[in-house]
Amino acid sequence: MKILYFAWLRTKIGVATETVDLPAEVRDVGALVDWLKTRSPKHADALANSTVVKVAVNQEHVPYDHPVGPGDEVALFPPVTGG
């Protein structure tokens, strides 16, 4: 699975993208975010308040109960505002 990090998530984690092998128990976005928190202290800090982290799977915004699989591209980003 390819993970993309944007804005302050990328800054806090220290990488823009990474490729990961999912554990079998990770089946949805919520479980993925929880698992990513365990990858490093930087991941844990960046994703500590996951309620503000938005997610897209294969370039489509999805809720945390959306399924994920090994071939997916998952983007994580903070809320976006504009005017």
Side-chain angles (χ1 to χ4, degrees):
M1 170 179 288
K2 184 174 184 179
I3 309 288
L4 307 170
Y5 302 103
F6 291 93
W8 55 260
L9 291 171
R10 175 179 49 220
T11 302
K12 284 187 170 193
I13 293 171
V15 297
T17 184
E18 61 183 334
T19 301
V20 298
D21 293 321
L22 293 180
E25 66 272 10
V26 175
R27 294 187 182 109
D28 63 24
V29 169
L32 172 64
V33 172
D34 288 343
W35 177 73
L36 287 171
K37 290 177 188 179
T38 70
R39 290 186 47 82
S40 77
K42 289 181 178 184
H43 285 80
D45 179 51
L47 299 169
N49 185 5
S50 57
T51 61
V52 301
V53 175
K54 304 300 179 193
V55 180
V57 175
N58 300 322
Q59 301 181 6
E60 180 181 331
H61 293 256
V62 298
Y64 272 44
D65 63 353
H66 185 83
V68 294
D72 288 334
E73 176 186 83
V74 178
L76 291 94
F77 48 95
V80 178
T81 61

